[in-house]
Amino acid sequence: MSDDGEMELAGGIAVLAAEPGHAAAARLVWADSLFAQEFAAAEPGAAAFGDDAPADLLAAIDGIGEGTIVRVALAHATLFAGRYAGSLRVVGLGGGRVLLALAVAAENEAQAADTRLAETLDAVPIAAALVAADDGTILWLNAPFRELLDGSEFDLMGTSLASHFALPGAFKTLIAATGKIAASAPMPTPLKTLSGVMTPVAATAKRMRFRSQEAALVCLSHGF
């Protein structure tokens, strides 16, 4: 257990109510969605600990002052009836409340970022897809993109976007025109839908990392 002035929130957070000196009886006030994904029993009012509560974590909660951040390393512990191994940040909020923040491994941070990116792009009104940069395999696509290709997510995920560009070599030309900083200029190309209809679009691309691989964000707009 150590004092730690840096906060880490990407892995999920929860607020516990705990009377001073009675950390073992702490109950959940609120948890964000990431914390709830880790612990299915983390619902408001649920007991945080069982009979085998980790002593280091209880001591941190009992002894923490308002505004203080303490990191506790747990080899294995039961928290909200689930098993947890890793670091926790314990933050003193005052008034008998503490905040717990789950630590995040680098790969989990990347997965969370990928998820947030997909959720964000799913909300925009343009046709957007994330594809593998080497062969155009569709890794993810939003609803407007599916509508342009006239197919469902199940029809399109894992297929090659290059096969939907009617002009030979169009995908390679598009990817070659972009970099990690600059997006490509709009490139006109006929788009072949799953039903065989040709529709004119303008495609732009920007290279990026997605799901631990080299990828590109491809956006389509109607017409030339």
Side-chain angles (χ1 to χ4, degrees):
M1 184 170 66
S2 63
D3 291 335
D4 192 333
E6 296 181 357
M7 194 56 194
E8 191 174 52
L9 297 178
I13 57 176
V15 176
L16 306 183
E19 293 294 328
H22 295 85
R27 293 190 174 272
L28 181 68
V29 175
W30 171 86
D32 71 356
S33 59
L34 289 175
F35 195 97
Q37 287 174 21
E38 184 75 24
F39 303 101
E43 298 180 352
F49 307 111
D51 294 335
D52 58 345
D56 284 356
L57 183 54
L58 295 183
I61 294 173
D62 276 334
I64 199 165
E66 182 175 353
T68 301
I69 302 173
V70 175
R71 180 174 60 83
V72 181
L74 302 174
H76 56 274
T78 301
L79 184 62
F80 292 106
R83 304 297 291 175
Y84 180 78
S87 293
L88 284 173
R89 298 294 201 278
V90 184
V91 185
L93 301 179
R97 295 191 175 192
V98 297
L99 181 146
L100 299 184
L102 303 179
V104 185
E107 60 270 20
N108 290 337
E109 287 183 349
Q111 290 173 9
D114 288 344
T115 300
R116 288 193 296 271
L117 173 61
E119 288 175 348
T120 299
L121 292 176
D122 220 13
V124 301
I126 62 172
L130 288 153
V131 305
D134 55 353
D135 60 4
T137 298
I138 296 173
L139 307 173
W140 176 90
L141 72 170
N142 69 1
F145 208 102
R146 295 195 298 271
E147 290 172 6
L148 269 179
L149 288 176
D150 192 25
S152 70
E153 183 176 5
F154 299 103
D155 295 325
L156 296 165
M157 289 286 286
T159 66
S160 175
L161 178 60
S163 67
H164 296 288
F165 285 171
L167 297 179
F171 179 77
K172 288 185 178 180
T173 301
L174 178 67
I175 295 301
T178 185
K180 294 183 178 179
I181 298 176
S184 68
M187 184 187 76
T189 180
L191 185 75
K192 183 170 61 177
T193 70
L194 287 183
S195 57
V197 175
M198 295 289 186
T199 183
V201 298
T204 58
K206 185 180 188 302
R207 288 181 180 269
M208 61 192 309
R209 296 283 294 178
F210 184 70
R211 294 177 182 168
S212 302
Q213 64 181 293
E214 290 297 325
L217 172 63
V218 177
C219 297
L220 304 180
S221 58
H222 283 285
F224 295 157

